[in-house]
Amino acid sequence: MPAPTTAALVTRCQALFDDLSFGAAREWKAAAAGRRVVAYMPIYVPRELIHAAGMLPLGILGAGENLEVIHGDAYYQSYICRIPRSTLDLGITGRLDFVDGFLFPSICDVIRNLSGIWKILFPKVYVHYFDVPQNFDPEVGGVFYRQELQELREALARLAGRPITDDALRASFALYNQNRRLVRELYAFRAGAPWRAPASETYLVLRAGMVLPVEEHNQLLADYLAAARAEERPRRDNCRIVLNGVFCEQPPLSMIKAIEMSGCYIVDDDFMLVHRWLLEDLPVTGDPIAALSTAFLSGSTENGAKYQPRQELKGQYILEAVRANAAEGVIFAAPSFCDPALLERPMLEKVLDRVDVPHIGFKYAENSAQLQPVREQAGTFADSIKLWSTP
Amino acid sequence: MTVKPASLRPQAPVREVVKEASMVKQKEMIARNYDLLTSTAEHGRKVASTFVPGNLNELIMCFDMLNNLPEINAIQNGMRKISGDYITEAEKRGHSEDVCTYVKADLGMIAKGNVSPNGKPLPRPDLLLLSYTGCFTFMKWFELLREEYKCPTVMLHVPYQGDGETTRNMRDYIVKQLKQEVIPALERVSGVKFDIDRLRGYLRESARAEDDLVWVLESAKQTPAPIDAYFGGVYYIGPIFTAFRGTPDATEYYRLLRAEIEERLRLGLGPITPEGDMKSQKYRLVVEGPPNWTSFREFWKMFYDDGAVVVASSYTKVGGTYDLGFRHDPDHPLESLADYCMGVYTNRNLPQRIDLLEKYMDEYQADGLLINSIKSCNSFSAGQLMIMREVEKRTGKPAAFIETDLVDPRYFSAANVKNRLESYFQMIDQKRGSAPSAA
C-alpha cells in the first residue's frame, strides 16, 4: 500500500473538521459496549486521565463558520464571544448527545460560566470546571493541584466504571508523550520549511487530534510528516510571522489561508495549545499524579490565561517564539471580546516594541465572512516587512 | 452638608440631596482615606492596591498599610463623569474597546496623572495584592498595573466554586498562600511583623459591622421596604467592601445606619432617595448585576419615579455574602479569610447564583427580577440570560433584561433603558392581573 500523500491526509482531516456531528467520535463510542466520551474546551485539560480510564477525550472548539447559530444566541448577549453560543448550539441540537462528560478548563469567565449553564441544561452529563493553580510553588499550588487531579481521577473513574490505575496512566503518558513529540516535530518542520507544511494544513492535522483517539492521531501526524518531507512544493517570497491569540475561539479556516495567501508564512502559532501545553515528556515511572502536577507547574506553555509571577519574564514567550522560529513579525489575531487575548496583547506588544519586532493586530469571530480586510492588512504587513526590514 | 445633584432635565428645579448622619459619616471616612492615600510622602505609610472581591482589609491593616482599590477609583470617576476620558485615553494607548472598562478607566487615570477625587495624585502602590477572586480580568489588570508601577506583586489565587461547593483542599490552598506568600510579602514591604492577635481583633470588629449590615439589607423584607437594596445598597456596602472593614469607624457607620433604618421602619417610611423619601412602592424588584455608574442618579430616578424599589440585589454581595451567614471569625482568622474569599458572589457558580436569586425572590416577596447586564463584565454577564430563564421558570415571576456598562458612558442609553423599564413595569402589572395600585 503506497504511503498517503499530504493531499489525501488533509482531505481526511478536512472531513473530520467539517463534521459537526462528530461522526468519528460517535463511531469510536459505538464500536464497543460501555465506551464513554469526555469532551473538553480550551485551553488545557490532562487528557491522559480520560484516556487512562478507557474513555475518549473530545476537544470542542465551537462550531466554526458552517453552523448557523440559532439557539445559542438566545443565551448570550451580543458583546460576548461566539464560542460559547455555538458550543451551546451543538449541545442543544443534539450534536453532542453522545458525550458523557464535559470538562471546562480555567481559561476565562465565559468558559467558566458556561460550565454552570451546561450543568443546568444537561443534568445527565458529568460536568466539571477544571481549576488549575496560578501559584506555581510545588508546596502550595502543587499540593492543591495534585489533590484536584486526584479528585478528577476519581470522578472520571466513576464515570468510566473502572479505576484509573497508575499503570494505565503511565501507558497513556507514553502515548501522549509521543503525540507531543510528533507535534513538536511538525512545528519544527514547518518552521524550517513552511512552504512544505502550510499552516492551513498543519491546523487541520492538529484539529484532527481533537476528535481522534491519540493512537490514531499519532499515526496521522507521523504520516503527514513523512508525506510532507517527501513532497517538494514551490517556495514563495513570503515573510515569516508568528500568529498569536488564536488559542480558544478558532478563526475560520479561510482566515488562516488568507493570511498565508497574502504573503505570510505562519511559523508558530497558539492554536490548540492542549497539544503543546506540556513542554516535555511526562515521566513514565513514579507517581503519575505528581508527574502531571510538576509538568504543569514548571514545564508548561505560557499564555494569557496563565499568571506570570515574575514581571521581568512577562511576555518573553512571544519574543522566544519569534527568535526560535526566525520570525520577522507577529500577527495578533484575537476573537472579539476575548479577555485573555485582548488584555494580554498590550503587554506582548510592549515586549516586541522594545526590540523592534513589527506587529499588527485584528479581531475575528469564528464565523467571520469578510476576509478582505484581513488579506489587505496581512498583505500590507508582509510587504512592509519585505521592503523595510533590516536584512 | 448638601450636594447639588446632576440635573436630569434642564427645566427641572434643582433639588438638594438629603443626607442622613450615616451618609455624612461615610463621606468623611472616604475623604479621610483619600487624604491618607495622597499624603504618604508626609506620613510614610505604605500602600497596597487590591480588589473588592477577596479584599483582605483586616490583613492589610495588620501591617499599618493603606488600602487603595482601583475598582473604587473607577467608580468614583464614573460618578464624577470623568471615566469616559480615561477610557478613551487607554484605548488610544492600545487597549481594546472590548475589555473591562474599570481596567481602562484605571489605566487612563494613571496616564493622566492618577488624580484622586480630592484633587491630589494617588501614590504609586508599594504592593499590588492581586486577590484573584471571581474575575479573570483581575489577573490581567494587575499584570498591566505591574508594568506601570514596577512594584512587588503578590497573587492570592482563590479557586472558583465550579461544583457549587468549597472543599478542604481549596481552603487549605488559600491559607497556605496567605501564610507563605501574602503575609511575607506584606511584611517585606511594610517592615511590620505579622501579629495574628491583631488580625483577630480586626476580624472581631468586622463581624460586628457585618451583623448590622445584614440587618440593614434584610430590612427590605418588610413592606414597605425602608431601603433600596441596590441604589441605596451600593452606599451601604461601601465601608465593608472597601478600606474600612475591621475598623471602629465601620462599626460605628453600621450602627448609625441601622438606627436610621429602624427609625424609618418605625415611621413606615420608604427608602431615602436623592430627592427625598420615596413615597410609593408599586414594584418590588430583585436586581442582578452591577449598576451603571456614569448615569447613576438618572438610572436610579427611572426606578423611584415609577415606584420601583429594589428589595435585594446580587451586586451588594460581590464583596461578601454575609446574608448567607458568613462572618469573619477571630477564632479561625486565616481560614475565615479564605472562606470569605471563596464565598463572594462572583466566585459562586451559575446554579448557586440562580438559587440565591430565587431565594431573594421568595424571601423578599419580589414582583420580578431585573438583570442589568454590563457590557464589559464577563464574570457577571456571561450566563445572565440563562439566569433570567431559570428564575422566571422557577418563580413564575416576570424577569427583564437591560444593558448598560460600568463606567463607559458610551454604553448608557437612557431612552432605551427607560423604555425597557416602563415596558417591564407594565408586564408586572399585567402579571398581577389587575390595575397598578395607586401611587
Side-chain angles (χ1 to χ4, degrees), chain A residues 69-126:
Chain A
V69 171
I70 296 169
H71 308 279
D73 279 343
Y75 289 86
Y76 286 102
Q77 302 90 313
S78 57
Y79 42 79
I80 288 176
C81 57
R82 196 179 139 99
I83 187 170
R85 64 188 81 222
S86 67
T87 302
L88 262 184
D89 230 81
L90 291 174
I92 292 169
T93 55
R95 289 176 169 90
L96 296 174
D97 58 5
F98 63 103
V99 167
D100 304 287
F102 209 143
L103 302 180
F104 294 85
S106 168
I107 175 170
C108 73
D109 294 334
V110 173
I111 299 299
R112 183 196 74 179
N113 289 3
L114 181 59
S115 70
I117 293 181
W118 216 271
K119 275 179 190 284
I120 294 165
L121 289 180
F122 306 100
K124 290 181 181 166
V125 176
Y126 164 69

